[in-house]
Amino acid sequence: MKKLFYLLFAVFIFGCNTNKEMIIFSPDYKIQVFISTENNELTYSIKKNEKSVIKTSRLGIILEEGIDLTKKFKIVNFKNRSHSEKWYPKIREVKEILNEYNEAIFEILSENKKLFLELRLFNDGVAFRYIIPNQKSIKKYDVIDEITEFNLSENDSAWWNPAFSYRRYEFLYANTKIDDISKKKYSELVEDISYDSIGIDAAQTPLTIKKNNGIFLSIHEAKLVDYSSMTLAPRGNGKLECELYPWSDGIKVKLKDKVKTPWRTIQIADSSGELLNSNIILNLNDDPDEKTDYSWVKTGKYMGVWWEMIGTNESTWWPSKYHGANNKKIKNYIDFASKNGFDGLLVEGWNEGWYPEWCCKGDGIPFSFTKSLNDFNFKKLSKYSSQKNISIVGHHETGGQIQNYENQLEEAFKLYQMMGVKYIKTGYVNDVSKNIKRIDINGNIHREWHHGQYMINHFKKVISLAAKYQLSIITHEPIKDTGLRRTYPNYISREGAKGQEFNGFSSNGVNHILDLPFTRLLSGPMDYTPGIFQLNNFRYTQPGSGVIDKNAIVPSTIAKELSLYIIIYSPMQMAADLPKHYKKHMEAFEFIKNVPVNWDDKIILNSKISEYLTIARKDSKSENWYVGGITDEKPREFELDFSFLDPDAEYDAKIYSDTENTHWKNNPMEYKISSKTINAKSKFDIYLAPGGGFAIEIVKK
Ligand code: NOJ
Ligand code: CA
């Protein structure tokens, strides 16, 4: 009944229309999209509760051979429907997702060329995409430009990091006015990238905006397949325009025939916390192909021979007296991980190709993905790990040498499958702009962007082939998440932001972790690699030096590191520190052992963008809840309200928190553990130290 009502309403508005403007409503009527062909331009604008979300913004695409689909528009047909369905992700952050929207499909002529604009309005945002079907009057479908605009207001505030720059998504966030999105401004405020001048000024997506009228937005894209990724370039007066990463010859997207763009998405919320509840991106992707079995995909927790290279700097990836991935050490890690109930152990530096200067120019000695180093006995370790119920998490650092990786892909996957490996962490470190080497069929070398169509297609190739060998992939230096993990459940996690690693070899500063949930994490799970317990005096000046680098600190507290298992969703979650550091704090480690990675429910208990956040999550396998809270450099006290608990039950709460003396800078490792019996009526205060946090395990009695 409700469904029918939406439909009639939309048709009514269309039927009454005389001024070339149509209005489509979200299912709850709060969001309105206005589509117009006034002045022969195709435009849209969005309002929520009468407040402006997006002002009149142009739509259109330019194809090869002067096919200009940006003007002379006429809407010739219009279809609409309403959709409402619940679906149940297998790998999940929440048990049930509602996919409810009103859809309008506009058939449009631009002169004699036909295109469709597909528009969906959800209660929490808007999505649209272009479809240019095969037609006689278009011979080539390569995309030269997409002119999609997002016209905001001058005073709206954006949280962004730079596109078209050297370090992919691994940047801190700048918070500026929209018109200030530029390398110059970023260099003034955050990090000097002014020398990196090949690309234009633009921001990556998801881009988070707080509008002057109080509305929060996240502009992103969904279902990025066989296309180039979207960035947002400022055009003055608060206007942003889609800029796609081009191929080295300037063409943005190369297509054999018809164009189907990714969905352009605008998530709309009344508060920063509400933004975290949107499932639009997943809703715009498809379920897995029914013929492909993904029942083998398993979530889990893993440790790694990793932090000792990147963080404590006591070992090397390459052969040396201090080589980390050696049989003896790996066995010790396996023993510790197994004893503490982990599922996997990452082993980096097991293969040939590592040498001290391996990083970061996309050239140099290419890696082998099948040949092990001498002190790594793959067969024996694989047998040992399987006896201990641990799966080795394989590692493929490509150094951004794609051809070299693709040449070995099948053999490498076969080897890993044979050795019982279930997960592979891949890596694409290449810290130079537009520097992914592509070798064409004539053997000529071209340099491509990390986020262009060449790489989008590469990531897709890897994930599809990995499924054939029942391998799940955790990509570092990935392409952004646009929800394809719904279709390819083995795309289990990814990095794609400044993660913990930077706190090892440099620093993210104390406040970055407060930006992540409101920016990058809106797109999907992150392999941030939390759980560092030795937060200072951990890093050696070099392997074997025995000299501690006193300046190296992880700007966090132990209680905050625990909270990150709740704050940051990832179906594969790492405990990143070394066993010897965990052994000093086994009581706190208990939380990492117990915390689940699959959830039934998520509740945002409080939030202020870039300042603080508290999330409660319900375990998928029990009636237990887990709560995590974080603050920026300011100390805070929260009153926690447990009214989300079952009103008829009692619970044991184990609280891991900072003490009055804890401080991220000079006393980060002091924490306390307390217990309480609580129920749905309980409320209590909790203190978060400067740069700190807390974690609570709530077990139903
Ligand atoms: C960068 C990745 O993010 C890190 O986790 C990895 O250890 C290095 N590359 C080496 O592959
Ligand atoms: Ca990285």
Side-chain angles (χ1 to χ4, degrees):
M1 186 61 214
K2 202 171 158 201
K3 240 175 156 177
L4 186 66
F5 185 60
Y6 298 146
L7 191 74
L8 287 175
F9 197 73
V11 174
F12 174 71
I13 296 295
F14 179 54
C16 286
N17 189 279
T18 49
N19 66 355
K20 295 185 178 175
E21 186 172 79
M22 282 171 242
I23 312 171
I24 322 293
F25 289 82
S26 58
D28 65 1
Y29 301 108
K30 289 186 180 161
I31 300 175
Q32 295 165 294
V33 174
F34 302 79
I35 299 285
S36 159
T37 50
E38 199 89 57
N39 304 324
N40 293 326
E41 287 186 342
L42 180 64
T43 62
Y44 77 102
S45 61
I46 306 178
K47 278 188 180 167
K48 181 173 182 191
N49 292 331
E50 293 309 310
K51 286 185 191 167
S52 170
V53 175
I54 303 271
K55 294 190 291 189
T56 304
S57 302
R58 290 183 65 201
L59 296 166
I61 283 194
I62 300 169
L63 301 184
E64 188 67 301
E65 298 182 336
I67 308 263
D68 183 353
L69 305 173
T70 66
K71 50 193 183 217
K72 301 190 181 157
F73 285 113
K74 213 165 98 187
I75 296 177
V76 290
N77 210 343
F78 168 85
K79 273 199 284 188
N80 66 349
R81 70 180 178 115
S82 295
H83 178 90
S84 181
E85 146 225 34
K86 281 184 183 152
W87 62 281
Y88 303 86
K90 186 172 166 269
I91 292 172
R92 60 184 201 233
E93 189 181 9
V94 288
K95 185 173 179 181
E96 165 182 295
I97 295 181
L98 175 67
N99 184 15
E100 183 170 72
Y101 57 82
N102 287 341
E103 180 183 80
I105 303 180
F106 300 89
E107 185 180 333
I108 302 167
L109 285 182
S110 164
E111 291 199 288
N112 62 339
K113 316 273 183 307
K114 189 198 273 189
L115 73 149
F116 294 93
L117 178 72
E118 268 186 50
L119 174 70
R120 284 188 190 171
L121 274 82
F122 303 82
N123 287 341
D124 54 355
V126 173
F128 58 85
R129 67 175 170 185
Y130 307 93
I131 295 175
I132 305 172
N134 291 339
Q135 51 200 286
K136 282 204 184 100
S137 55
I138 303 182
K139 298 276 169 297
K140 287 190 87 177
Y141 291 81
D142 288 353
V143 176
I144 299 301
D145 207 4
E146 184 183 320
I147 62 139
T148 308
E149 289 176 352
F150 302 87
N151 194 2
L152 299 141
S153 300
E154 269 167 56
N155 290 322
D156 295 347
S157 176
W159 281 259
W160 59 279
N161 58 31
F164 296 97
S165 193
Y166 77 110
R167 210 188 251 150
R168 309 159 307 266
Y169 302 114
E170 293 177 1
F171 286 107
L172 297 178
Y173 285 85
N175 177 212
T176 68
K177 298 275 176 264
I178 285 163
D179 294 345
D180 280 336
I181 293 173
S182 68
K183 289 186 180 155
K184 186 163 175 270
K185 196 70 183 179
Y186 193 82
S187 302
E188 273 166 41
L189 298 177
V190 186
E191 175 188 343
D192 185 11
I193 53 164
S194 54
Y195 61 89
D196 195 2
S197 58
I198 8 177
I200 56 162
D201 284 332
Q204 312 268 23
T205 79
L207 173 72
T208 304
I209 289 154
K210 182 174 185 216
K211 292 187 64 70
N212 223 16
N213 59 18
I215 290 179
F216 285 84
L217 305 179
S218 168
I219 304 180
H220 190 40
E221 58 186 313
K223 208 173 175 181
L224 170 54
V225 180
D226 198 18
Y227 207 76
S228 168
S229 61
M230 175 173 83
T231 74
L232 297 165
R235 296 286 186 250
N237 303 320
K239 187 187 283 182
L240 293 167
E241 187 184 326
C242 164
E243 279 287 347
L244 303 168
Y245 280 97
W247 286 80
S248 44
D249 59 7
I251 293 174
K252 303 275 171 65
V253 185
K254 301 189 181 194
L255 296 167
K256 275 199 226 82
D257 52 14
K258 64 179 179 304
V259 182
K260 198 180 211 180
T261 69
W263 291 94
R264 307 303 175 211
T265 58
I266 303 150
Q267 285 154 271
I268 305 169
D270 295 327
S271 68
S272 62
E274 204 182 299
L275 214 47
L276 275 61
N277 284 326
S278 175
N279 288 307
I280 288 183
I281 305 294
L282 281 179
N283 278 336
L284 290 163
N285 280 274
D286 303 320
D287 276 333
D289 172 12
E290 276 177 10
K291 284 182 239 120
T292 315
D293 169 30
Y294 285 104
S295 60
W296 47 270
V297 177
K298 299 272 179 294
T299 59
K301 281 180 281 187
Y302 70 105
M303 298 190 69
V305 181
W306 177 70
W307 186 245
E308 57 187 75
M309 282 87 91
I310 218 144
T312 67
N313 202 23
E314 59 202 273
S315 303
T316 65
W317 281 278
W318 50 90
S320 77
K321 201 171 153 198
Y322 307 104
H323 180 224
N326 63 68
N327 297 321
K328 191 169 165 224
K329 182 167 291 181
I330 294 168
K331 277 189 167 177
N332 288 340
Y333 268 92
I334 291 174
D335 291 345
F336 184 82
S338 171
K339 196 167 150 212
N340 291 294
F342 282 79
D343 306 282
L345 179 76
L346 168 69
V347 181
E348 293 201 6
W350 65 278
N351 55 330
E352 284 185 6
W354 293 95
Y355 61 110
E357 298 78 29
W358 71 272
C359 179
C360 309
K361 301 251 159 59
D363 275 318
I365 302 172
F367 288 96
S368 162
F369 301 103
T370 49
K371 293 187 190 138
S372 315
L373 293 175
N374 288 339
D375 51 352
F376 177 85
N377 188 327
F378 208 164
K379 265 198 188 140
K380 279 197 178 150
L381 288 167
S382 136
K383 197 167 162 214
Y384 189 74
S385 64
S386 73
Q387 282 162 0
K388 298 264 175 174
N389 255 336
I390 293 287
S391 165
I392 289 184
V393 175
H395 185 233
H396 287 167
E397 172 55 65
T398 67
Q401 300 207 48
I402 302 307
Q403 197 64 62
N404 174 56
Y405 187 37
E406 289 193 359
N407 290 345
Q408 300 179 59
L409 207 54
E410 189 123 25
E411 286 310 306
F413 285 174
K414 263 188 209 162
L415 171 72
Y416 267 157
Q417 191 189 37
M418 203 169 77
M419 294 293 177
V421 168
K422 297 192 181 75
Y423 313 92
I424 306 177
K425 169 176 165 181
T426 58
Y428 294 84
V429 177
N430 182 340
D431 282 358
V432 182
S433 280
K434 194 171 175 285
N435 189 42
I436 297 287
K437 188 162 60 174
R438 176 175 62 87
I439 307 163
D440 69 19
I441 41 170
N442 302 318
N444 299 321
I445 293 178
H446 308 271
R447 300 278 168 178
E448 305 294 349
W449 286 101
H450 199 107
H451 308 305
Q453 190 186 9
Y454 175 64
M455 287 298 280
I456 306 291
N457 292 349
H458 165 75
F459 288 116
K460 170 87 186 309
K461 204 179 284 177
V462 171
I463 212 70
S464 308
L465 196 67
K468 183 173 160 196
Y469 292 95
Q470 304 206 337
L471 293 160
S472 294
I473 301 291
I474 306 164
T475 312
H476 276 229
E477 300 79 42
I479 185 60
K480 60 190 165 186
D481 193 340
T482 59
L484 293 178
R485 66 187 189 280
R486 176 172 174 186
T487 316
Y488 305 98
N490 63 323
Y491 211 157
I492 200 152
S493 198
R494 73 185 82 200
E495 187 193 39
K498 266 197 161 184
Q500 185 83 279
E501 62 173 336
F502 280 85
N503 290 327
F505 54 77
S506 91
S507 176
N508 285 332
V510 62
N511 293 331
H512 174 61
I513 195 73
L514 272 300
D515 288 334
L516 281 179
F518 304 98
T519 52
R520 153 69 181 86
L521 298 187
L522 297 176
S523 67
M526 178 176 176
D527 189 39
Y528 174 84
T529 69
I532 298 301
F533 276 13
Q534 185 65 43
L535 296 162
N536 57 25
N537 293 322
F538 63 88
R539 186 170 172 89
Y540 291 93
T541 50
Q542 58 183 37
S545 75
V547 180
I548 292 281
D549 173 358
K550 293 273 175 207
N551 295 321
I553 60 164
V554 173
S556 187
T557 68
I558 286 186
K560 187 186 213 170
E561 288 298 299
L562 299 181
S563 78
L564 299 183
Y565 291 87
I566 318 294
I567 296 288
I568 301 172
Y569 168 61
S570 182
M572 271 310 274
Q573 195 69 279
M574 190 180 197
D577 213 338
L578 312 184
K580 65 181 179 195
H581 294 153
Y582 288 133
K583 281 179 189 162
K584 290 192 203 162
H585 304 282
M586 282 312 276
E587 268 194 306
F589 191 59
E590 199 60 26
F591 183 84
I592 301 182
K593 284 165 64 178
N594 293 352
V595 69
V597 293
N598 289 312
W599 306 99
D600 267 2
D601 204 357
K602 165 172 88 173
I603 301 172
I604 310 300
L605 294 184
N606 63 31
S607 96
K608 186 155 185 219
I609 185 164
S610 295
E611 294 185 23
Y612 58 85
L613 174 64
T614 303
I615 302 181
R617 294 187 193 266
K618 186 186 161 290
D619 179 16
S620 72
K621 289 205 189 98
S622 70
E623 292 305 310
N624 302 342
W625 285 81
Y626 292 78
V627 181
I630 54 174
T631 177
D632 59 6
E633 68 213 321
K634 291 205 190 92
R636 290 178 207 273
E637 192 153 282
F638 294 150
E639 188 194 44
L640 297 178
D641 178 335
F642 294 90
S643 50
F644 57 87
L645 294 175
D646 175 355
D648 300 321
E650 294 283 305
Y651 297 80
D652 284 326
K654 196 165 175 191
I655 304 149
Y656 301 76
S657 58
D658 299 323
T659 73
E660 294 293 317
N661 302 321
T662 311
H663 192 292
W664 67 273
K665 206 173 197 170
N666 38 41
N667 189 24
M669 291 179 288
E670 193 169 308
Y671 61 92
K672 61 179 182 203
I673 301 175
S674 56
S675 297
K676 268 189 180 38
T677 299
I678 60 167
N679 58 35
K681 289 199 192 108
S682 303
K683 285 183 184 176
F684 62 79
D685 293 339
I686 193 151
Y687 172 74
L688 293 80
F694 69 89
I696 310 178
E697 181 177 32
I698 305 171
V699 177
K700 198 173 196 177
K701 286 198 183 201

